[in-house]
Amino acid sequence: MALPASLSLAVLSLLLTANSAISSLNATHESFMQCFLDHTRPSNSSSQIVYSPNTTAYDAVLRSSIQNIRFLYTSSTTKPVLIVTATNESHVQAAVVCSRKHGLRVRVRSGGHDYEGMSYVSEGDRFIIVDLAALRSVTVDAEHGTAWVLAGATLGEVYYAIAEKNRTVGFSAGICPTVGVGGHFSGGGIGTLSRKYGTAADNIVDARLVDVNGRILDRQSMGEDYFWAIRGGGAASFGIVLSYKIELNYVPPIVTAFNVIKTLKQDATKLVTKWQQIGPNLDENLYIRVIAQAMDDDEAEGNRTIQALFNSLYLGTCKELLTVMGSSFPELGFEAADCNEMSWLESVLFFAGYSGRPTEVLLDRRPEFNSSFKAKSDFVREPVTEAALEEIWRFLMEAKDEPLVLIMEPFGGVLDEIAESATPFPHRKGNLYIIQYFMRWFETDKETTERHLSWMRKLYAFMTPYVSKNPRAAYLNYKDIDLGRTARVWGPKYFKNNFKRLAYVKSKVDPHNFFRNEQSIPPIMSL
């Protein structure tokens, strides 16, 4: 049966539009490839480096380090028109120059852990991914206590390489071994050594990056304002960091880790109340975080309870730790049987949940979970009362089918001594601890995802009375698109009074806002 004339015209119009879009995309691919070859010859064949959607390896390369798969199933996000898997610095330079020339934006992926997927998807811009996974060497200078770390390395690779050279040095950064340093260092970077040595960004002493013009700059040539901005302000707003020079941190030959678990019947509420009061004021060699979540318990009222895990690292021996805990936190009931003495590198395995496995597991950068997740963050400046904690526990227990977890990490120590303006990471003196609200799920259907996201937002709203205000602060590395897409709104939450200085630096180094994403620093004239 023949189609009506009007419908035939509509179908023809759609086909022509689709063909035009495909032709335009193919032309972009070809012109980009020619530009890329012109700027990288004779270093490599681009066929092994640049992937377009019509190449067989495209999907495998795209998914190779995606840590949050819900963005693959979101209709509002677009995938890259090309992926550049850089194997040397000239590939990164060429990617920037050729993207600008052909009207494409750039997203940079190091480990793929961006909490909102901004390193590999976009809500509108036509873009390429510059994947840095192949640029991951770590060069340790044991004599001077420093290391040059390429931005594609993971934290696990960094820690392994450092310990291989010297078992009594480590580095103050995060706990998850598969996180890429490119984003983590540039957003601050907190972990078990932060109370002793500050954030990862506090320990960066030099860097090399590709700027908007494709030039490679180091600390001296970029200037101190630019260098300041990429150590806590999110480097993706300012260029593509190739490598960082970091100052290594002393750790003793023996450290001690422990896990002590308490439920409501075991006075978890009173213990968390006490932890809030002492956690930020403990010996800076002692880090104790609390991970709280609701659990089924047939013997508890309502068959639900709260499990509070006191997860700790002490830079010293069990004997020394027993003395410290006995004087500062006797209520926890910590005893010698709870001690796990080990090397600092082994403590990395302990916190990652890899205890008993060979340290070489830290070199495995593949995504640990094929899952989706959502997180948010808050800073607490006044202790939450015992009564308020009971209300929070009740909220968690009522969310029966929701995998909500509260991860509370102590501040204090050296973090109190570093000025808020020293780096763009402003969360210093006055913060007792940071809360990360986290949930992970494995289903891929839209209904389940929306339900989980809704519960996370409800929890965040519920916590409003108990956390920082004016602004309600947030941590950049726990990126949260719910904070908005308007820089005036989210900027002060992530950066407080440092936000305007970041926008000023942006206006100097990238005035036309080439390096941008849904929550990137805008030039100051755009505020």
Side-chain angles (χ1 to χ4, degrees), residues 293-300 302-306 397 400-401:
Q293 59 188 316
M295 307 285 288
D296 289 334
D297 183 349
D298 292 339
E299 298 180 2
N303 297 325
R304 297 279 279 169
T305 190
I306 292 294
M397 289 188 288
K400 186 169 177 59
D401 296 320

Side-chain angles (χ1 to χ4, degrees), residues 101-314:
K101 181 177 180 181
H102 296 290
L104 299 170
R105 300 290 169 178
V106 170
R107 298 294 171 99
V108 186
R109 185 168 70 178
S110 175
H113 279 77
D114 186 290
Y115 273 29
E116 295 291 353
M118 294 180 195
S119 63
Y120 49 87
V121 294
S122 171
E123 292 186 351
D125 287 333
R126 294 174 72 235
F127 72 103
I128 72 165
I129 290 176
V130 176
D131 191 305
L132 300 177
L135 297 175
R136 62 177 188 264
S137 68
V138 180
T139 306
V140 178
D141 183 344
E143 182 181 351
H144 296 97
T146 60
W148 273 103
V149 179
L150 296 194
T154 63
L155 296 181
E157 290 170 333
V158 173
Y159 298 153
Y160 184 91
I162 291 170
E164 205 173 29
K165 289 287 187 180
N166 187 340
R167 304 288 281 185
T168 59
V169 292
F171 187 66
S172 178
I175 286 170
C176 179
T178 57
V179 166
V181 304
H184 182 74
F185 287 10
S186 79
I190 56 174
T192 60
L193 298 182
S194 297
R195 299 186 65 253
K196 175 80 170 180
Y197 292 112
T199 69
D202 294 328
N203 292 277
I204 295 171
V205 295
D206 203 346
R208 287 168 54 82
L209 65 74
V210 175
D211 76 353
V212 71
N213 297 309
R215 300 175 300 175
I216 294 179
L217 307 176
D218 62 9
R219 178 174 184 172
Q220 183 176 3
S221 56
M222 75 177 74
E224 287 302 304
D225 277 350
Y226 203 167
F227 182 62
W228 173 85
I230 63 171
R231 291 177 300 133
S237 294
F238 302 96
I240 301 180
V241 172
L242 299 168
S243 57
Y244 300 95
K245 185 180 182 181
I246 57 175
E247 192 169 76
L248 305 179
N249 312 130
Y250 170 76
V251 291
I254 296 175
V255 303
T256 306
F258 71 78
N259 284 325
V260 171
I261 297 173
K262 300 292 183 179
T263 64
L264 295 182
K265 281 186 176 180
Q266 298 167 315
D267 287 332
T269 307
K270 290 184 183 298
L271 291 168
V272 174
T273 302
K274 176 72 172 182
W275 170 84
Q276 291 180 99
Q277 298 164 359
I278 65 161
N281 302 308
L282 289 170
D283 183 325
E284 64 184 21
N285 291 304
L286 178 57
Y287 163 94
I288 305 176
R289 68 173 180 171
V290 177
I291 303 174
Q293 59 188 316
M295 307 285 288
D296 289 334
D297 183 349
D298 292 339
E299 298 180 2
E301 182 180 345
N303 297 325
R304 297 279 279 169
T305 190
I306 292 294
Q307 175 183 283
L309 168 65
F310 294 82
N311 184 215
S312 177
L313 176 69
Y314 178 68

Side-chain angles (χ1 to χ4, degrees), residues 327-397:
S327 61
S328 59
F329 200 2
E331 298 87 346
L332 189 62
F334 177 77
E335 53 190 32
D338 298 314
C339 286
N340 297 278
E341 288 190 336
M342 59 190 70
S343 69
W344 178 77
L345 188 65
E346 289 168 333
S347 79
V348 172
L349 298 177
F350 179 90
F351 278 88
Y354 296 163
S355 291
R357 297 172 67 178
T359 54
E360 285 74 20
V361 71
L362 297 175
L363 304 179
D364 186 351
R365 57 186 295 134
R366 292 172 298 178
E368 185 177 0
F369 302 100
N370 187 34
S371 64
S372 299
F373 68 86
K374 174 63 182 175
K376 291 177 175 289
S377 61
D378 265 318
F379 289 85
V380 177
R381 300 179 67 87
E382 298 290 338
V384 179
T385 66
E386 191 171 326
L389 280 175
E390 289 173 350
E391 292 298 315
I392 296 168
W393 302 155
R394 190 170 294 113
F395 182 100
L396 294 178
M397 289 188 288

